[in-house]
Amino acid sequence: MNPFTQLDGLVAPLDRANVDTDAIIPKQFLKSIKRSGFGPNAFDEWRYLDVGQPGQDNSKRLLNPDFVLNKPRYQGAQILLTRDNFGCGSSREHAPWALEDYGFRVLIGPSFADIFFNNSFKNGLLPIKLDAAEVDELFRQCEASEGYRLKVDLAAQTITRPDGKSIHFDIDPFRKECLLNGWDDIGLTLRHADKIRAFEDRRRAEHPYYYS
Amino acid sequence: MHAQTLYEKLWSSHVVHQEADGTALIYIDRHLVHEVTSPQAFEGLKLAGRKPWRISSIVATADHNTPTDHWDLGIQDPVSRQQVETLDANIREVGSLAYFPFKDARQGIVHVIGPENGATLPGMTVVCGDSHTSTHGAFGCLAHGIGTSEVEHVLATQCLLQKKSKTMLVRVDGQLGRGVTAKDIVLAIIGRIGTAGGTGYAMEFGGSAIRALSMEGRMTICNMAIEAGARAGLVGVDETTIEYLKDRPFSPKGALWDKAVEYWRTLHSDEGAEFDKVVELKAEDIQPQVTWGTSPEMVTTVDGRVPDPAAVTDPVRREGMERALKYMGLEANTPITDIAVDQVFIGSCTNSRIEDLREAAAVARGRSKAANVKRVLVVPGSGLVKRQAEEEGLDKIFVAAGFEWREPGCSMCLAMNADRLEPGERCASTSNRNFEGRQGAGGRTHLVSPAMAAAAAVTGHFTDVRTLA
């Protein structure tokens, strides 16, 4: 996993609640057996005017000019502003894969669905929960000024606005450490292999019916 | 010892190690695997030179991509076929406790085959790369969906990194009215608390109306806990649970069964256990439910009307409703029973078990598909469900009514196979998500119970099933 430390990035606003994982990456693209290449199909049904299929040359498809991420001013955005319950629905990790492949590194919203939230951290994507009022203000500022950027500092747990205001955000210390260092979860867990083995031996003795 | 919730009991019996901030390593007893979310995990494992930790924890099947008709022709879509063949190859290489491949007599939706084979047992931790893993919590086990990185993590370490959830009790007391089912209960709960209402919680369902439900009904409710935002749904163990599990293929036998049952009887929330949040519903107040929008919380009763966004003050919510009505092609204030349907889908991990098919057949018996309904798909959850339904003659009732009786799989719940809606088509569906494009790009989904789906199929529009004598 790529580490995440700091980012000074262009912001794009996706002003709707309950953006589900079917919208982030529609099911026809889940047939891939790879982890990469989902970016061109992120938000496929909103982003293009036709119905997308795997294996298509996406550069030849007609873009929906009304979809916010297609607006010239948001090209190259790395920070996505969202509303409540972003990432609800399925557990497909293809959703964070698609967002990361599209170019996003930070998501900011009032709330995220649990499984999506978890999956994001495994892919170097930082989801940040802020108070609804703070998010409202970011939407206002972003829409009001073209080229709106935010500075995100994970170590300091701050978002800095162009007007200089610094906003603190919370994150689990363990997740923060993993993301800052780009640590591989599995490698970390296997340091406890002896403990896992001991637990398993105990469990097998106490509850043999789970091992028959 | 203080009174504990079921969640606390399950959590504390699986903690292997805990970090200073509370992040814990949780041991996983059962790992269910399907073709869509596992290929990258198996590949990652192989690239890192790692071996699976405990092969006998793995139960696998192919369900999302498999066709529901013409099994003799195999899987026509080459991309779908490759994904299923990749699972075949991975399981062949790695091994498993059980694998039910495409066309196997016990193949089916992963959340149907686990319980019916006794591979889901009380007191276990159960994970799968699929959000509807919450289904298995109906058995008093801690079950939730995980992403592909976590699938790989469980394969390699038999553990997951987790933070303890908060606990919520949803208590439904009283007696359900005639024609009102488990699906209506869970849609009513989601309508009450919203699709983010359970975020961060393990959601236990209790009360006399839940106790009175069969295991099939409890699975329907836990299945949609995720639609209320809760990764895990739970129901405490009782005689219904134990009776269901007796003599299933992977259930313990003989002295082991007795020992297991003794432990399982402790798997319920203690009297006086405290929950972080309690929500209460009266069973008598619950009516047959129909969703009208593009989120499961956009739900009303069959005798209701499509709501009017103009009556809502919160701008984000109002715009969400307006967008949903536009997508759904609906006008505000339309009576629900005036909405005609083009297709009906009876199936999915929510409602494809034998009891669901019986409910639908009871309505279809002696009736016919309405002329305006293009297609009614009945897709059993597994080969075993299909066989039992055929033994009971349910297939003949469906076929006589003009419904199509299909092979098992996920089918039009998410339309990864060939079963899907055309743009603009409207569907009464027993599945779990009415998101934009879920059943096919441009398709319009209304979530209902199996009985209500059958009622829409035979009348051509949403109909209160209680009015069909």
Side-chain angles (χ1 to χ4, degrees):
Chain A
M1 184 176 80
N2 292 326
F4 183 103
T5 50
Q6 289 177 325
L7 177 74
D8 177 349
L10 185 69
V11 185
L14 186 59
D15 195 0
R16 49 171 100 188
N18 298 317
V19 172
D20 59 73
T21 52
D22 279 80
I24 298 170
I25 183 83
K27 81 295 245 90
Q28 60 270 38
F29 305 107
L30 311 190
K31 296 179 188 183
S32 166
I33 57 172
K34 301 198 179 76
R35 260 175 210 266
S36 55
F38 294 99
N41 299 110
F43 302 109
D44 199 274
E45 287 182 15
W46 294 341
R47 191 164 154 198
Y48 300 98
L49 291 172
D50 62 342
V51 176
Q53 292 304 330
Q56 241 175 333
D57 180 353
N58 293 295
S59 67
K60 298 215 164 67
R61 298 172 62 196
L62 276 183
L63 291 170
N64 172 6
D66 297 331
F67 182 52
V68 63
L69 296 185
N70 288 338
K71 305 225 185 268
R73 64 185 275 193
Y74 298 124
Q75 298 315 298
Q78 290 180 288
I79 298 173
L80 187 67
L81 276 184
T82 72
R83 293 291 185 184
D84 263 317
N85 204 24
F86 186 86
C88 61
S90 108
S91 64
R92 61 188 69 164
E93 199 160 318
H94 313 67
W97 291 340
L99 293 170
E100 198 266 347
D101 197 46
Y102 182 95
F104 290 117
R105 296 300 310 276
V106 173
L107 310 169
I108 301 173
S111 66
F112 296 89
D114 279 343
I115 303 179
F116 174 84
F117 189 73
N118 245 335
N119 285 343
S120 295
F121 285 100
K122 317 280 181 195
N123 293 282
L125 193 61
L126 173 61
I128 299 176
K129 286 186 230 179
L130 293 182
D131 282 350
E134 294 277 18
V135 175
D136 268 346
E137 180 55 24
L138 291 178
F139 266 101
R140 250 193 310 277
Q141 294 195 357
C142 178
E143 278 155 16
S145 82
E146 197 161 336
Y148 186 81
R149 300 175 77 85
L150 290 170
K151 290 195 180 109
V152 179
D153 184 332
L154 177 56
Q157 295 180 224
T158 55
I159 297 170
T160 309
R161 298 195 316 216
D163 61 10
K165 187 187 169 186
S166 170
I167 306 165
H168 174 85
F169 64 87
D170 289 331
I171 180 171
D172 286 342
F174 185 75
R175 282 191 161 127
K176 176 177 169 180
E177 199 67 8
C178 289
L179 206 49
L180 280 173
N181 294 291
W183 280 338
D184 161 23
D185 276 359
I186 296 178
L188 284 182
T189 296
L190 286 174
R191 291 181 313 171
H192 302 295
D194 288 347
K195 273 190 164 178
I196 302 172
R197 241 172 254 122
F199 179 94
E200 196 165 49
D201 290 345
R202 247 187 353 260
R203 186 157 177 80
R204 198 186 294 268
E206 276 173 39
H207 302 286
Y209 33 84
Y210 296 137
Y211 294 84
S212 52
Chain B
M1 192 139 132
H2 81 288
Q4 283 185 305
T5 63
L6 173 55
Y7 176 74
E8 284 162 344
K9 291 179 187 181
L10 293 169
W11 172 268
S12 61
S13 62
H14 286 88
V15 175
V16 172
H17 169 81
Q18 196 149 330
E19 301 286 341
D21 75 344
T23 305
L25 261 189
I26 293 296
Y27 184 80
I28 301 303
D29 294 305
R30 175 67 66 228
H31 190 182
L32 303 168
V33 173
H34 67 81
E35 79 275 19
V36 180
T37 53
S38 66
Q40 298 88 348
F42 282 113
E43 190 194 22
L45 197 70
K46 204 184 301 180
L47 288 176
R50 289 172 175 140
K51 295 264 176 262
W53 185 281
R54 188 161 69 84
I55 291 158
S56 65
S57 69
I58 300 171
V59 172
T61 194
D63 54 5
H64 285 61
N65 280 278
T66 55
T68 59
D69 61 352
H70 286 298
W71 273 12
D72 53 318
L73 299 178
I75 303 173
Q76 295 287 295
D77 174 356
V79 198
S80 286
R81 187 168 64 240
Q82 185 196 27
Q83 201 164 52
V84 172
E85 286 171 354
T86 303
L87 179 65
D88 287 342
N90 283 328
I91 297 294
R92 205 163 42 235
E93 189 181 331
V94 164
S96 63
L97 174 72
Y99 181 41
F100 307 118
F102 175 46
K103 294 188 191 181
D104 188 276
R106 288 201 271 166
Q107 179 266 349
I109 305 173
V110 69
H111 308 307
V112 176
I113 63 162
E116 77 182 1
N117 284 289
T120 299
L121 296 172
M124 279 183 162
T125 40
V126 178
V127 294
C128 177
D130 192 291
S131 59
H132 291 112
T133 308
S134 59
T135 310
H136 306 263
F139 290 84
C141 56
L142 182 56
H144 58 79
I146 55 177
T148 298
S149 294
E150 291 177 316
V151 170
E152 185 181 337
H153 193 278
V154 174
L155 285 171
T157 70
Q158 212 58 43
C159 289
L160 264 188
L161 283 163
Q162 294 283 294
K163 274 296 259 289
K164 198 171 177 183
S165 302
K166 293 176 283 182
T167 55
M168 182 187 297
L169 174 65
V170 179
R171 188 160 50 218
V172 189
D173 280 315
Q175 199 166 2
L176 285 179
R178 187 179 62 87
V180 183
T181 68
K183 182 66 164 283
D184 301 303
I185 297 180
V186 72
L187 284 173
I189 292 168
I190 296 165
R192 166 83 78 85
I193 69 173
T195 50
T199 302
Y201 291 92
M203 188 180 283
E204 180 172 341
F205 301 94
S208 59
I210 303 294
R211 296 259 74 89
L213 290 173
S214 65
M215 289 314 296
E216 284 85 350
R218 295 177 191 185
M219 280 190 264
T220 298
I221 289 184
C222 288
N223 173 275
M224 289 189 72
I226 183 67
E227 262 55 69
R231 281 191 309 164
L234 285 169
V235 176
V237 173
D238 61 11
E239 291 311 308
T240 306
T241 324
I242 290 164
E243 199 47 48
Y244 178 98
L245 287 169
K246 203 163 171 36
D247 299 325
R248 302 263 163 188
F250 293 109
S251 291
K253 310 281 179 320
L256 273 185
W257 168 261
D258 296 336
K259 186 175 162 64
V261 168
E262 188 187 334
Y263 171 56
W264 294 346
R265 287 195 207 280
T266 68
L267 297 175
H268 51 77
S269 289
D270 296 331
E271 193 75 36
E274 280 184 31
F275 291 82
D276 295 305
K277 191 169 179 183
V278 178
V279 174
E280 293 179 325
L281 279 81
K282 281 202 185 71
E284 290 81 1
D285 294 343
I286 300 173
Q287 309 296 318
Q289 307 278 310
V290 181
T291 65
W292 52 265
T294 53
S295 164
E297 70 187 24
M298 295 174 167
V299 65
T300 187
T301 55
V302 66
D303 58 358
R305 289 170 182 268
V306 174
D308 191 347
V312 174
T313 47
D314 172 18
V316 175
R317 215 177 128 231
R318 186 174 60 234
E319 281 163 31
M321 287 172 73
E322 284 164 354
R323 199 179 291 120
L325 291 187
K326 183 162 177 247
Y327 181 85
M328 294 297 288
L330 292 173
E331 296 289 333
N333 301 314
T334 306
I336 294 295
T337 50
D338 282 1
I339 302 171
V341 301
D342 302 303
Q343 291 210 42
V344 176
F345 173 62
I346 298 170
S348 86
C349 56
T350 313
N351 281 131
S352 64
R353 298 176 183 84
I354 190 66
E355 186 174 282
D356 302 315
L357 301 185
R358 287 180 193 140
E359 275 173 20
V363 176
R365 187 189 303 271
R367 295 191 171 94
S368 296
K369 176 177 81 66
N372 64 302
V373 177
K374 294 176 203 162
R375 184 168 74 166
V376 183
L377 283 185
V378 187
V379 183
S382 70
L384 295 183
V385 170
K386 181 169 190 247
R387 197 175 69 196
Q388 187 177 350
E390 289 173 354
E391 281 167 10
E392 296 180 16
L394 305 184
D395 58 322
K396 294 197 176 61
I397 296 171
F398 292 130
V399 171
F403 298 6
E404 295 182 27
W405 178 242
R406 294 293 189 95
E407 303 291 348
C410 299
S411 181
M412 210 164 70
C413 172
L414 86 169
M416 272 190 82
N417 70 356
D419 308 334
R420 66 188 64 158
L421 298 179
E422 293 301 318
E425 279 190 335
R426 189 180 299 287
C427 183
S429 178
T430 66
S431 56
N432 39 60
R433 292 190 176 134
N434 51 354
F435 299 157
E436 287 184 24
R438 173 77 178 181
Q439 295 192 292
R444 295 161 171 167
T445 302
H446 296 263
L447 304 175
V448 289
S449 73
M452 285 287 290
V458 299
T459 61
H461 53 86
F462 292 105
T463 298
D464 188 337
V465 66
R466 296 169 300 187
T467 64
L468 299 179

